[in-house]
Amino acid sequence: MRFNPNNNVIKLCAAGMDMEGKGKSEEASKLFLQAWNEATNDFEKFTAAHYVARHQKSVEGKLKWDETALHLALKSNDDNVKGALPSLYLNIAKGYEDLGDFENARKNYQIALSFTNHLPENGYGNTIKAGIINGIERVK
């Protein structure tokens, strides 16, 4: 996925990721929420929601933000989001799995699998694919 490095929402998310890398989860969470609050379009909101989801304390909260990110990604109609769809559906499937809703988990793992052609052929793409395959195996 390509991002404009001069976009303020992207800058805030990058700063949040930097804080995550330094083990400063609370600071990261604040930056991601700031990005959400400053987002002005569906693409920016999708990006911020994707990161806000990572810092939720409950499975339900994470699932809500992951579903928000997915809804905004699909609504944005931006080709740049296609590469994120497998990861978004994987996160949603895992949320349902963690909640014991295996029917919705299976459905979302299968949808994630259908979008893997948009993943890069590298470590990231392989990690997402493996997560999807492992999830499918767990909820058979």
Side-chain angles (χ1 to χ4, degrees):
M1 237 168 53
R2 284 186 264 151
F3 293 101
N4 177 354
N6 298 315
N7 179 296
N8 194 51
V9 170
I10 302 305
K11 286 180 183 180
L12 287 166
C13 289
M17 289 176 62
D18 187 50
M19 289 292 114
E20 276 185 0
K22 293 176 180 174
K24 298 180 178 183
S25 182
E26 192 171 315
E27 291 90 338
S29 183
K30 287 178 184 175
L31 288 165
F32 296 139
L33 281 172
Q34 182 181 349
W36 170 259
N37 289 326
E38 292 185 18
T40 61
N41 61 49
D42 291 334
F43 181 79
E44 290 176 352
K45 289 178 184 178
F46 137 72
T47 303
H50 182 57
Y51 288 104
V52 170
R54 294 160 52 140
H55 288 267
Q56 297 306 298
K57 305 260 188 266
S58 70
V59 174
E60 293 87 354
K62 183 173 178 347
L63 182 59
K64 173 189 164 270
W65 279 100
D66 283 330
E67 288 179 329
T68 297
L70 175 63
H71 173 74
L72 290 162
L74 294 171
K75 190 176 163 190
S76 76
N77 219 9
D78 186 321
D79 282 345
N80 286 316
V81 302
K82 288 181 181 174
L85 293 177
S87 174
L88 289 169
Y89 280 108
L90 169 61
N91 293 345
I92 290 167
K94 182 67 169 91
Y96 280 119
E97 180 183 349
D98 290 347
L99 291 172
D101 185 344
F102 300 117
E103 182 178 332
N104 274 316
R106 275 189 291 278
K107 180 179 96 174
N108 282 281
Y109 282 128
Q110 289 298 327
I111 296 169
L113 188 63
S114 75
F115 284 105
T116 56
N117 61 313
H118 296 291
L119 288 170
E121 292 294 327
N122 60 22
Y124 168 77
N126 293 336
T127 298
I128 299 300
K129 287 176 195 172
I132 294 166
I133 299 300
N134 290 336
I136 290 169
E137 289 297 313
R138 286 192 306 271
V139 298
K140 276 187 173 177

